Amino acid sequence: MARWWGLDLGTTNSSLAVWSDARSEAEMVDLGDVSRQMLLTESPVVPSAVYINPKDDFWTSLGRIPSIERRWLLGRQAYIGREAGDRNYEGRQPNYVESFKPLLAAAPTKVMTRVGGANTQVLGYLNGRYRIFMRELVLQARRIGREKINALTMAVPVDSFETYRAELSAAAARLGIRGFQTVDEPVAAALGYGLNTERELTMLVFDFGGSTLDVAVVRTTGPGKAGTPAEVVAKQGLSLGGNNVDVWLVEHFARQINLNANLWRGTEWYQALLDSAQALKEDLFHREEASLSIGGRMGKELGFRDQQPTLSRDGLIEVLREHGLYADIERTIETLLTEAASRGIEPRDIDEVLITGGSSLLPDVHRVLADIFGRPRLRDWLPFEAVANGACVFAAGHRVQDFIRHDYALLTFDRDSRDVEYPVIIPRGTQYPTDGPVWEGYFTPTCARGEPATEFELKICEISRATGPQKAIGYDENSRLRVLDRAKDEVVVICLNEGDATLGFLRPPHPPHRTEARLRIGFAVNNDRYLTATVSDLLTNTRLMENQPVVKLR
């Protein structure tokens, strides 16, 4: 039986997903030696790099014939992903290319690689390199799963030209992929994050990858099918990403030993040093301190001697601040919002903020976004998977239902032990709007310090946990990243209304000696994804609240 596949071609990393009938959801595909696992979530991604074979063998030459390539993928034309990087470890080789996506639409005939000697030079054009990347990725998927990809949906930039989509379609046809289609990246991200794109949505997409920061305000018009094209309202970009941070870290460690980092460029160790800086950076996504991994000979030749360079999370934040990363993000978003406002879209009109790209995990980036847009609007838990998974959902024709993505609970105390408890009132998977209350309960007001209670308050908490086979991420109340392991039942609990938990007043006040229930409270979810409360006073037989919004859910 044919399966549906989704591909997200990223500037730094690409992701392949397949629809799982058993789980009724998309799942990421591990392509073995060409993949690398992201440190935090263990999500498999393929570095967007190609290393062209300098010489073809018989089967590879035969496999280049288009009529044969449409039926059989013979030989190996290149190494891709992690294997390509391994072959370029000592420095940039002329037959190696990475991060070709930004130029694909603008300059598809740009020369990117050169293979062969001075008299037998074969120029590698960008469009050809992308087709080879696709070819080897499809071939590797067949090697791993012994299954041919016949139906592939690829996410593309929302403002890409038709020439870009035509290049992709032609490449897929040459590889024998009959069922090829494209979907706009913001729509794919929305589907991957579980949003129903059949209704009108105004979204801000924050894509922060290895070499670029791209932000856009887009609109889905609805009603219609789940893949209704998005309309770009405003867009801004910046040549800034994780690769810049790696270089800044190398420069930081060079200054510590009074060296100019430029002295390391061109040495056999420089690429290894950048890779070590990247690993340290990713460690500090969720740890307080990390070390730069350098071997004995490598460390001595670079000037570190017997030192093991370390950096704290706060130290990384200071490096990022010194280089203006946070200011650049804020300025880029401010410019975007100004452009959107000139076209009639105010910041308050943005329904969702979709966060993708590995650099979004850098310390304090989440805090910047939460300060600007508020936490409830952030979709932040699938930075690597959302686009590829969404392309899969679109390919499978699966209609996304509006449902809640996390558990929501009350913060209460056990009457006898006074231990904190979190009874779930809105479980993950609840479809909204709900038809009446989802949960009802009876409460006795807390009489602090033994004095009569004149008001009643309820603290609503969001509970994030891993639900799939891979680890998940969550952010605590200080926007610090936490890694959640399903096997260990790890959770992140956030109180959503800590500073505004008072819902109403009690008249007459509730005396401390009365331990029977005073309030009956029911919770529902309205069409705008707000938790609503209906509260009745059992003593006076009056309704204190009627479907009143309390907090916005995700």
Side-chain angles (χ1 to χ4, degrees):
M1 177 182 175
R3 294 205 289 174
W4 295 283
W5 301 75
L7 176 61
D8 170 27
L9 174 67
T11 302
T12 305
N13 294 299
S14 297
S15 303
L16 183 68
V18 65
W19 182 260
S20 169
D21 286 325
R23 297 175 55 197
S24 293
E25 63 183 12
E27 56 186 27
M28 301 281 279
V29 178
D30 189 338
L31 293 177
D33 292 340
V34 308
S35 294
R36 64 180 287 250
Q37 284 194 331
M38 301 310 294
L39 182 66
L40 297 182
T41 62
E42 300 177 355
S43 303
V45 298
V46 180
S48 302
V50 180
Y51 182 93
I52 307 298
N53 274 343
K55 180 180 283 189
D56 287 350
D57 58 20
F58 169 77
W59 292 108
T60 301
S61 297
L62 187 64
R64 289 185 185 276
I65 300 174
S67 59
I68 292 179
E69 191 171 40
R70 277 191 288 270
R71 300 186 62 184
W72 302 286
L73 299 179
L74 303 178
R76 183 196 287 267
Q77 297 179 11
Y79 293 90
I80 65 169
R82 185 158 56 91
E83 289 186 322
D86 290 344
R87 280 160 176 77
N88 188 52
Y89 199 72
E90 293 184 357
R92 183 170 179 81
Q93 302 295 317
N95 51 332
Y96 175 82
V97 62
E98 62 181 353
S99 299
F100 45 77
K101 178 184 176 181
L103 293 172
L104 184 58
T109 58
K110 178 181 175 65
V111 177
M112 298 294 289
T113 58
R114 296 178 183 272
V115 182
N119 298 322
T120 58
Q121 213 170 62
V122 179
L123 300 183
Y125 295 105
L126 182 56
N127 51 7
R129 297 298 71 89
Y130 173 69
R131 183 189 60 75
I132 290 176
F133 181 84
M134 275 187 69
R135 177 193 189 276
E136 298 303 326
L137 186 142
V138 169
L139 184 57
Q140 182 69 5
R142 184 185 299 181
R143 291 193 192 106
I144 295 296
R146 299 185 181 277
E147 180 179 352
K148 183 179 180 181
I149 296 180
N150 288 314
L152 178 66
T153 297
M154 184 168 169
V156 298
V158 67
D159 57 350
S160 59
F161 295 108
E162 285 305 314
T163 53
Y164 180 90
R165 299 172 193 250
E167 287 283 349
L168 303 178
S169 182
R174 183 164 174 175
L175 297 176
I177 300 173
R178 300 185 188 92
F180 179 81
Q181 58 184 340
T182 61
V183 61
D184 290 341
E185 283 177 354
V187 174
L191 291 171
Y193 269 121
L195 294 173
N196 182 358
T197 60
E198 295 180 26
R199 59 188 177 89
E200 291 187 11
L201 279 175
T202 301
M203 302 174 289
L204 185 144
V205 182
F206 181 88
D207 183 9
F208 197 12
S211 57
T212 59
L213 168 64
D214 294 305
V215 290
V217 174
V218 298
R219 245 186 333 214
T220 56
T221 54
K225 58 182 294 190
T228 299
E231 172 197 354
V232 180
V233 177
K235 183 175 181 179
Q236 292 292 321
L238 199 62
S239 294
L240 175 69
N243 296 341
N244 300 91
V245 178
D246 299 340
V247 174
W248 298 342
L249 289 174
V250 169
E251 293 171 348
H252 169 79
F253 288 118
R255 285 196 299 271
Q256 285 190 332
I257 56 175
N258 298 316
L259 280 180
N260 186 334
N262 289 328
L263 296 175
W264 290 337
R265 294 180 185 271
T267 67
E268 60 178 313
W269 303 115
Y270 189 66
Q271 186 58 50
L273 192 58
L274 287 174
D275 291 344
S276 297
Q278 178 186 0
L280 176 141
K281 173 190 69 182
E282 293 179 359
D283 270 342
L284 292 177
F285 285 169
H286 69 113
R287 293 198 171 105
E288 292 303 315
E289 188 174 89
S291 299
L292 191 68
S293 178
I294 50 176
R297 178 179 165 230
M298 173 182 170
K300 289 179 180 179
E301 292 199 10
L302 291 174
F304 289 106
R305 299 178 183 175
D306 296 326
Q307 302 176 42
Q308 188 70 25
T310 61
L311 187 67
S312 67
R313 181 180 184 275
D314 289 341
L316 174 58
I317 291 174
E318 187 58 33
V319 170
L320 300 179
R321 185 175 290 113
E322 286 176 357
H323 285 85
L325 181 135
Y326 304 117
D328 284 341
I329 292 174
E330 291 170 346
R331 188 162 45 248
T332 302
I333 292 176
E334 181 181 356
T335 303
L336 177 81
L337 295 178
T338 300
E339 182 183 349
S342 70
R343 299 179 182 177
I345 301 296
E346 298 294 333
R348 64 177 178 273
D349 299 325
I350 296 172
D351 300 304
E352 312 286 348
V353 178
L354 311 182
I355 300 175
T356 63
S359 295
S360 68
L361 302 178
L362 285 166
D364 273 8
V365 169
H366 185 273
R367 178 193 54 77
V368 170
L369 297 176
D371 288 347
I372 296 173
F373 299 105
R375 187 187 182 96
R377 285 195 277 185
L378 303 187
R379 299 258 164 174
D380 51 24
W381 57 91
L382 293 173
F384 306 115
E385 303 94 335
V387 176
N389 285 355
C392 242
V393 172
F394 174 68
H398 182 71
R399 185 180 181 192
V400 177
Q401 300 290 336
D402 288 320
F403 68 88
I404 302 302
R405 302 286 153 171
H406 299 282
D407 290 326
Y408 290 87
L410 294 174
L411 190 159
T412 63
F413 296 90
D414 181 87
R415 180 173 296 180
D416 299 320
S417 67
R418 304 303 295 168
D419 290 339
V420 175
E421 297 179 332
Y422 297 102
V424 174
I425 55 175
I426 305 293
R428 176 184 183 272
T430 299
Q431 292 190 18
Y432 67 91
T434 59
D435 186 14
V438 177
W439 184 94
E440 285 188 323
Y442 293 84
F443 289 87
T444 302
T446 301
C447 297
R449 297 182 296 276
E451 298 176 356
T454 59
E455 57 188 34
F456 62 93
E457 65 176 33
L458 291 172
K459 293 184 178 180
I460 313 298
C461 298
E462 177 184 89
I463 302 177
S464 304
R465 54 167 50 91
T467 58
Q470 296 163 340
K471 294 179 181 179
I473 62 171
Y475 292 89
D476 66 16
E477 65 276 5
N478 297 315
S479 282
R480 289 207 172 197
L481 185 67
R482 296 289 183 259
V483 180
L484 310 176
D485 191 336
R486 183 181 182 184
K488 299 178 182 178
D489 196 28
E490 294 173 329
V491 299
V492 172
V493 180
I494 305 295
C495 184
L496 301 179
N497 61 337
E498 180 87 42
D500 188 25
T502 300
L503 298 187
F505 298 92
L506 298 170
R507 297 183 179 88
H510 188 81
H513 66 271
R514 300 195 64 166
T515 59
E516 68 271 19
R518 171 77 180 263
L519 303 172
R520 183 176 70 241
I521 303 178
F523 291 106
V525 184
N526 68 15
N527 192 56
D528 295 321
R529 217 169 62 243
Y530 272 92
L531 177 73
T532 63
T534 297
V535 182
S536 299
D537 188 333
L538 301 177
L539 178 66
T540 61
N541 198 28
T542 57
R543 185 65 58 86
L544 303 180
M545 296 173 62
E546 182 77 45
N547 288 325
Q548 182 172 320
V550 179
V551 293
K552 190 166 187 177
L553 309 182
R554 296 199 291 173

